[in-house]
Amino acid sequence: MSKTYITTPIYYVNDLPHIGHIYSTLVADTVARYRRLEGDDVYFLTGTDEHGQKIQKTAAEQGIEPIALADRVVERYHQLWQQLEMTHDDFIRTTEPRHWAGVEKIVARIAEKGDLYVDRHEGFYCVRCETFYTDKELLEGDRCPIHETPCDRQSEENVFFRLSKYQDALLAHYEAHPEFVRPESRLNEVKQFVAQGLKDLSVSRTTVDWGIPLPGFEGHTIYVWLDALTNYISALGYGSDSDQLYRDFWQGDGARIHFVGKDILRFHAVFWPAFLLSAELPLPTTVWAHGWWLRDNLKMSKSIGNVVRPDYLLQDFGHEALRYYVLRDMAFGQDAGFSDEAFIERYNSDLANDIGNTLSRLVTLSRRAFDGALPPAKGDGLKAEAEQAMAEYRGHMEVFSFHEALRSLSKLNQEISQFLVRNEPWKKLKDESQKGEVAEVLWAGLEALRLVATALLPILPEKAPKILESIGADVPETFTEGALSWGGLGTGKTLGAVEPLFPRIDKKEYLKGAEAKKEAKDAKAPAAAENKEKRSGKGKTQASSAEGLISIDDFFGVMLKVATIQTAERVPKSDKLLKLSVDAGESSERTVVAGLGKAYEPEALMGRQVIVVANLKPAKLMGVESNGMVLAATADGKPVLLSPESEVPAGTRVK
């Protein structure tokens, strides 16, 4: 069994978590889940960085002690990680005694090597980065190249680490281990930085007392990066008598993977390995640097005010939609722009439509055709497509190309839908001579969906098992027993109920509501009351009421959608009413009762697109609950259905 050690950066406690923090941890959690399913022995670490000038300054501004600030923010991290169902094995805090012990031990080893000395340090310092920058690195106006905020020129006596001593050793390591920094573009950046010449590194402060005292150097506090980076081994027991985890996951031959943002790559790919070389300790196997989440083409930042807090997304969509979106829409290693509009589009296309509608259609048709059970015969109609998708998925997941892995699954979902459209099993349900063909078609669709759901287990830890349960499939503990191989679905087993896993979101209405919430914060009460009155339809003028006119708000209050008729049958004891099952682009099909029976035969309506009123209150007609109305004109006393001129996606709004 291979051992895999996975870490996130440890997060500063000067502010509450936002999407940038969540992304690093979601990536690490996804990899941890995937590697466990592949049979690895995984240890997954995250935590918080609680020392340094930044935290001391923020706490002072709030009139509290630094530890009180840390405790408050750490509690929010714990709550959020629980809400997101993170599966970390440990959460390290740099204020813990176990961490101090590890820091003191590595510092002692570095000092024994003669790699620490005292000198005066002068330069431009960014408090938020906790680092000094050279004149060449600064932006115009002596501004930080990361945060674009002014740096302070500081001068003080510091303890220095002989970083320059390890320049050649680092370059040799990069050359011998190109996998040490990924992606390759970041490796090239690191190599170029080191090749230009390394200067010795300040590793202490005398003006900051919120931190770990530097042993042997009275009055000096260990500089935050030597302190913080050591968390990766102190959490495993380095520096204590209980160091079995350290020996298993750091000294062994397993993978040691750091996931970090590109802005802190230098510290992890240059400073950290240099500290370890000095202390004669093993290096990580890979430092994976991901891009930034951008808003308005700028990195999310508290100071800029463009951060995306997770609360409203989790409340409105649930944590799995957020997990899916950030993994699907960022090419790992590159920057990505975050927008509510893109979020909803991805949610509707991949989750509500590709997964939700496919599941609903397959289970509904199978239950109707085979008395609530799985099809009795297997088919291979999608075998080649599914096997290709699983091979692509696994290959992409191995190299952390999450967006490509999910693209492969999305493509297979679309092929399932196209396969059903080509074979039209709903037209053959009542023909006994075609029951065998129907069974093979539906089984192939369900088996392909089983593979999609199984592959989604690391990304959708709640919803993927529910999909598997709905189609009568087992939830595998690992991928090692053929869980991603074709043919694993049984036959004849009773199908589970289909619940709306990802209800479709009306993008325009949602964005309109989100904007309204923002405006409401600044709106005055009279204006808010006036708007509410307009939206409710009150306050119409006597003239408009007398003329029978309606406002645009009244019109948009009626939700018209394009829907595809999946099945149609006559309502017993009625020669006029038909019971229709329609796909309106939602998580499950809806039943609509329509008075079309004298003008249309039920079989002729299968697959036809119609316009439905989608927000009517349910009503019972001849004992059947109807959830909507089909639009039709009347000509010579007979209904004539209204349809779009050409086929459009089910669920498209009519405006």
Side-chain angles (χ1 to χ4, degrees):
M1 179 183 293
S2 299
K3 292 189 181 298
T4 302
Y5 182 40
I6 297 169
T7 73
T8 72
I10 52 173
Y11 304 112
Y12 279 128
V13 293
N14 67 318
D15 191 23
L16 295 174
H18 57 68
I19 290 294
H21 305 121
I22 289 173
Y23 180 71
S24 297
T25 316
L26 277 176
V27 164
D29 182 69
T30 300
V31 174
R33 289 175 180 273
Y34 177 76
R35 294 314 317 169
R36 292 185 191 114
L37 284 164
E38 289 287 6
D40 283 7
D41 183 9
V42 173
Y43 199 82
F44 169 23
L45 174 72
T46 188
T48 45
D49 182 1
E50 303 178 17
H51 291 143
Q53 186 175 351
K54 190 190 306 186
I55 283 82
Q56 183 172 305
K57 181 180 178 182
T58 302
E61 290 172 351
Q62 297 183 19
I64 58 177
E65 292 296 319
I67 191 62
L69 172 65
D71 287 344
R72 186 177 69 201
V73 176
V74 166
E75 180 58 31
R76 177 64 181 125
Y77 273 102
H78 284 314
Q79 293 171 355
L80 185 58
W81 291 169
Q82 183 177 11
Q83 192 174 4
L84 289 165
E85 294 195 7
M86 299 299 187
T87 59
H88 51 284
D89 298 283
D90 196 0
F91 188 102
I92 183 73
R93 298 181 61 177
T94 57
T95 50
E96 294 180 68
R98 61 172 174 156
H99 176 68
W100 283 46
V103 172
E104 289 171 349
K105 182 172 181 178
I106 195 173
V107 168
R109 290 179 68 103
I110 292 172
E112 288 172 6
K113 205 74 169 292
D115 287 341
L116 298 180
Y117 66 92
V118 178
D119 200 354
R120 178 156 291 277
H121 193 281
E122 185 171 332
F124 286 98
Y125 183 73
C126 174
V127 173
R128 297 177 63 202
C129 289
E130 301 278 10
T131 195
F132 282 92
Y133 287 103
T134 65
D135 292 339
K136 291 182 179 180
E137 293 173 314
L138 291 172
L139 302 177
E140 185 179 351
D142 300 330
R143 291 177 297 123
C144 168
I146 302 297
H147 300 102
E148 301 186 12
T149 52
C151 293
D152 299 325
R153 189 160 188 87
Q154 296 185 1
S155 176
E156 65 172 300
E157 184 180 81
N158 290 165
V159 174
F160 282 77
F161 168 70
R162 297 186 192 279
L163 181 64
S164 59
K165 175 180 173 181
Y166 294 95
Q167 177 175 324
D168 291 342
L170 288 170
L171 289 172
H173 187 76
Y174 304 148
E175 201 63 35
H177 302 279
E179 75 283 358
F180 182 71
V181 178
R182 307 310 295 156
E184 186 177 359
S185 60
R186 300 298 175 201
L187 173 63
N188 294 333
E189 291 176 11
V190 170
K191 290 166 70 174
Q192 184 178 12
F193 172 77
V194 175
Q196 289 175 349
L198 293 178
K199 295 182 178 181
D200 290 349
L201 180 69
S202 169
V203 294
S204 80
R205 295 290 180 271
T206 57
T207 56
V208 179
D209 56 12
W210 177 241
I212 302 173
L214 183 57
F217 297 90
E218 187 175 352
H220 288 261
T221 300
I222 298 175
Y223 166 54
V224 65
W225 284 105
L226 177 55
D227 169 359
L229 291 163
T230 306
N231 89 90
Y232 300 125
I233 55 177
S234 66
L236 297 175
Y238 178 78
S240 73
D241 295 332
S242 303
D243 63 351
Q244 185 61 51
L245 283 173
Y246 172 78
R247 284 180 277 146
D248 287 345
F249 286 94
W250 196 263
Q251 287 188 325
D253 57 2
R256 300 179 290 277
I257 306 168
H258 296 323
F259 289 112
V260 301
K262 66 179 183 179
D263 52 328
I264 56 173
L265 176 60
R266 182 186 306 175
F267 308 109
H268 286 79
V270 181
F271 300 168
W272 177 226
F275 295 153
L276 293 168
L277 287 170
S278 175
E280 298 183 356
L281 300 175
L283 274 59
T285 55
T286 305
V287 179
W288 248 104
H290 62 73
W292 290 337
W293 279 100
L294 307 176
R295 192 106 188 202
D296 303 322
N297 293 317
L298 295 172
K299 180 193 176 188
M300 292 185 189
S301 165
K302 175 188 174 186
S303 61
I304 297 174
N306 66 342
V307 298
V308 176
R309 303 293 183 193
D311 305 79
Y312 79 97
L313 293 171
L314 295 174
Q315 178 180 343
D316 293 346
F317 298 95
H319 74 92
E320 290 183 301
L322 177 60
R323 293 175 71 103
Y324 187 92
Y325 171 74
V326 298
L327 292 170
R328 179 66 177 84
D329 274 45
M330 176 182 273
F332 195 55
Q334 301 176 21
D335 294 342
F338 183 95
S339 75
D340 292 338
E341 184 173 1
F343 183 99
I344 296 170
E345 287 175 352
R346 179 64 66 193
Y347 173 95
N348 280 339
S349 65
D350 288 24
L351 299 180
N353 189 44
D354 287 353
I355 295 177
N357 285 350
T358 300
L359 171 66
S360 175
R361 179 178 294 187
L362 282 167
V363 173
T364 300
L365 288 171
S366 297
R367 289 172 66 92
R368 185 175 295 131
F370 304 109
D371 296 325
L374 280 169
K378 295 186 176 184
D380 288 335
L382 286 165
K383 182 179 180 181
E385 293 88 340
E387 288 180 338
Q388 180 180 347
M390 292 305 103
E392 291 176 355
Y393 163 81
R394 260 182 155 151
H396 292 313
M397 289 296 287
E398 290 294 334
V399 296
F400 311 141
S401 185
F402 311 108
H403 72 295
E404 292 290 358
L406 291 174
R407 191 198 304 273
S408 296
L409 300 184
S410 182
K411 181 182 176 183
L412 180 55
N413 265 320
Q414 293 164 10
E415 286 173 337
I416 296 171
S417 180
Q418 293 166 8
F419 176 72
L420 293 177
V421 170
R422 288 196 304 270
N423 287 277
E424 299 181 319
W426 50 84
K427 291 186 177 181
K428 307 168 185 176
L429 294 181
K430 295 183 178 180
D431 187 342
E432 289 297 325
S433 67
Q434 298 190 72
K435 271 296 181 68
E437 179 185 342
V438 170
E440 291 180 1
V441 167
L442 294 180
W443 187 93
L446 288 164
E447 170 64 355
L449 183 59
R450 178 190 70 81
L451 293 174
V452 170
T454 302
L456 284 171
L457 286 170
I459 293 99
L460 305 179
E462 282 185 359
K463 299 295 176 64
K466 289 183 178 179
I467 296 171
L468 292 170
E469 291 169 5
S470 294
I471 64 176
D474 296 329
V475 180
E477 294 185 3
T478 69
F479 290 164
T480 57
E481 300 298 325
L484 294 180
S485 299
W486 182 266
L489 188 66
T491 57
K493 184 177 179 180
T494 301
L495 288 163
V498 177
E499 58 180 277
L501 298 178
F502 299 104
R504 190 173 180 85
I505 301 296
D506 186 306
K507 182 176 72 172
K508 184 175 180 180
E509 290 299 315
Y510 181 84
L511 294 176
K512 182 180 177 182
E515 186 62 31
K517 289 178 183 177
K518 295 176 184 177
E519 293 176 355
K521 293 180 180 179
D522 301 321
K524 295 181 180 179
E530 181 181 349
N531 289 336
K532 182 177 180 181
E533 185 175 276
K534 289 180 179 179
R535 287 194 301 271
S536 66
K538 297 178 181 179
K540 296 177 184 175
T541 64
Q542 289 183 352
S544 65
S545 177
E547 295 168 6
L549 301 178
I550 64 172
S551 69
I552 190 68
D553 290 327
D554 291 328
F555 173 75
F556 281 122
V558 180
M559 186 182 295
L560 301 176
K561 288 185 177 183
V562 175
T564 304
I565 299 175
Q566 302 298 317
T567 62
E569 58 187 78
R570 294 190 179 278
V571 174
K573 300 181 181 180
S574 173
D575 59 354
K576 179 181 179 181
L577 297 181
L578 297 182
K579 177 183 174 183
L580 310 178
S581 179
V582 303
D583 174 8
E586 299 157 335
S587 60
S588 59
E589 295 174 6
R590 64 164 68 200
T591 298
V592 176
V593 178
L596 306 171
K598 291 187 176 181
Y600 296 92
E601 290 298 324
E603 293 77 10
L605 296 176
M606 299 284 198
R608 181 163 179 169
Q609 288 202 313
V610 294
I611 311 299
V612 299
V613 181
N615 61 341
L616 281 181
K617 291 181 179 180
K620 278 197 173 183
L621 301 173
M622 297 290 289
V624 180
E625 183 175 272
S626 178
N627 291 276
M629 177 186 291
V630 176
L631 296 190
T634 300
D636 297 327
K638 291 185 178 182
V640 178
L641 284 171
L642 303 184
S643 301
E645 183 178 1
S646 58
E647 187 170 341
V648 297
T652 300
R653 287 289 300 272
V654 177
K655 302 174 183 178

